[in-house]
Amino acid sequence: MKKVVYSFSETSFANYSEMTYEHILYDVSGRVATLTLHRPEKRNALNAAMVTELQAALDVAAKEPAVKVIVLKGAGEAFCAGADLESLQQLQKNTREENLADSRALMALMKKIYYHDKIIIAQVEGHAIAGGCGLVTLCDLSYAVPEAKLGYTEVKIGFIPALVSVFLVRKIGEGRARELLLTGRLITATEAATYGLINQVVPAGEIGAHVNKVAADLCNNASGNSLKVTKRLITRVYDLPLDEALEHAAAENAVTREHADCQRGIQAFLDRQKLTW
C-alpha cells in the first residue's frame, strides 16, 4: 500500500487543491476503501494534520461511486493512542479561541464519520485510547483483536472526553458511558464487546480476513442505497420524538420504494433470483 495524492477542498469537491497524505494511507480495492492511520512510530497518535487528512480521505471516499464500504485501521502495534504529545503541549499555549477551533476540527471529523453515506468498519489490531477509542465509537461496525485495550483516559490527565461523550451515550447507554468516562479505565476487547462498544473479538491472525468478509458481504448482498438510507435513519431518528421519528421513517420508506434498487430487489425476490449488488 502506498501514499496517494488526491484532490480535495472542504468547500467543494470540484473546486479542488492538491493534497498529499503524510499521516494516513488511502487504498481502494474493489469496492472497499481502506484508511490506515500511518504514524506507527507515534502509535498513530492524532494531530491536527492527521485530522485534516482523515476528513479529506473520507470526502474522497464519499465521492467514489464504486466504494460502498470504508475500513479504518492503524499501522503498527496500536490502532490509535489518542492525541500526541506535541498536540497536548500545544493545548497549554493556545488561546481559548484556538482551542475552540481545534475542538471544532475534531468535531467535524467525528460528524463526518458518524453521518458518512458509506458504511465504516473499524479494524482494531492494537490499543485504542482516548481519541483513538473515540474513532472506534463512531464507526458503524467494529472488530478488535483479544490483545487490544480500549478506553477513554482523559480524566486521568485533567482533560475531558467531551465530544465522544455525545456519541458514546447513544451507542452504549448512559450507565455504561458514565462508568467508562468517569473512571478512565482501560477495558479488554472482550469487555468492550460485552458493553456494545465493539461488535466482536477476532483472533489477530483472522481479523483481516474477517473484516474483508464483512465488507464483501455488505458490498455483494446489500443495496448501496439501502445501506445509506438505513444508516441515515439510525442516526436521525434517535433525537426525534416518537411521532416525528415514525413520520420521518414513513417518508423514507415511500421514497425508497421508488428507487431503482428497491424495484430491482423486489423483482428478483419475486422471481426467486439471487442478486449480487
Side-chain angles (χ1 to χ4, degrees), residues 7-115:
S7 300
F8 167 71
S9 168
E10 278 191 343
T11 54
S12 169
F13 194 81
N15 181 25
Y16 58 82
S17 59
E18 199 82 344
M19 178 168 184
T20 302
Y21 299 137
E22 296 294 333
H23 302 303
I24 67 171
L25 303 177
Y26 181 92
D27 178 74
V28 177
S29 179
R31 291 182 287 177
V32 180
T34 300
L35 303 185
T36 305
L37 309 179
H38 198 256
R39 301 182 74 207
E41 74 286 355
K42 300 286 188 180
R43 299 175 64 79
N44 301 319
L46 294 167
N47 61 11
M50 181 183 278
V51 168
T52 298
E53 290 180 17
L54 282 171
Q55 289 193 63
L58 288 165
D59 276 10
V60 170
K63 298 292 183 179
E64 293 270 9
V67 170
K68 290 180 71 174
V69 176
I70 299 168
V71 173
L72 180 62
K73 58 190 293 188
E77 296 182 355
F79 175 79
C80 177
D84 72 2
L85 181 60
E86 291 179 6
S87 295
L88 291 174
Q89 290 173 331
Q90 186 61 44
L91 291 179
Q92 297 178 313
K93 303 174 184 178
N94 285 352
T95 64
R96 180 175 296 181
E97 290 73 20
E98 289 170 334
N99 278 325
L100 182 57
D102 184 72
S103 294
R104 283 176 171 162
L106 184 57
M107 176 182 71
L109 172 61
M110 289 185 167
K111 289 173 68 176
K112 198 175 291 289
I113 295 172
Y114 190 70
Y115 290 111

Side-chain angles (χ1 to χ4, degrees), residues 33-250:
T34 300
L35 303 185
T36 305
L37 309 179
H38 198 256
R39 301 182 74 207
E41 74 286 355
K42 300 286 188 180
R43 299 175 64 79
N44 301 319
L46 294 167
N47 61 11
M50 181 183 278
V51 168
T52 298
E53 290 180 17
L54 282 171
Q55 289 193 63
L58 288 165
D59 276 10
V60 170
K63 298 292 183 179
E64 293 270 9
V67 170
K68 290 180 71 174
V69 176
I70 299 168
V71 173
L72 180 62
K73 58 190 293 188
E77 296 182 355
F79 175 79
C80 177
D84 72 2
L85 181 60
E86 291 179 6
S87 295
L88 291 174
Q89 290 173 331
Q90 186 61 44
L91 291 179
Q92 297 178 313
K93 303 174 184 178
N94 285 352
T95 64
R96 180 175 296 181
E97 290 73 20
E98 289 170 334
N99 278 325
L100 182 57
D102 184 72
S103 294
R104 283 176 171 162
L106 184 57
M107 176 182 71
L109 172 61
M110 289 185 167
K111 289 173 68 176
K112 198 175 291 289
I113 295 172
Y114 190 70
Y115 290 111
H116 205 282
D117 280 346
K118 311 295 172 73
I119 305 303
I120 303 180
I121 304 173
Q123 181 173 324
V124 185
E125 297 180 80
H127 297 343
I129 311 298
C133 197
L135 294 178
V136 176
T137 305
L138 292 156
C139 291
D140 301 296
L141 301 168
S142 301
Y143 303 92
V145 298
E147 298 80 10
K149 295 287 183 66
L150 301 93
Y152 313 89
T153 56
E154 287 88 345
V155 295
K156 293 190 174 183
I157 61 167
F159 197 40
I160 59 170
L163 294 169
V164 72
S165 68
V166 178
F167 300 98
L168 187 64
V169 170
R170 288 169 173 248
K171 188 162 194 172
I172 67 173
E174 181 181 339
R176 293 292 199 189
R178 282 179 183 270
E179 177 192 350
L180 294 180
L181 299 180
L182 293 174
T183 66
R185 75 182 185 92
L186 297 180
I187 60 174
T188 66
T190 299
E191 287 178 287
T194 301
Y195 283 21
L197 179 58
I198 65 171
N199 294 92
Q200 189 176 341
V201 181
V202 184
E206 302 173 17
I207 191 168
H210 181 82
V211 169
N212 288 342
K213 183 180 185 306
V214 172
D217 285 347
L218 289 169
C219 289
N220 297 328
N221 299 323
S223 150
N225 183 67
S226 295
L227 290 173
K228 177 180 71 174
V229 176
T230 300
K231 177 173 176 176
R232 188 167 65 203
L233 275 169
I234 294 168
T235 56
R236 291 188 179 177
V237 302
Y238 185 92
D239 288 327
L240 294 174
L242 180 59
D243 286 345
E244 288 183 37
L246 289 170
E247 284 294 337
H248 177 73

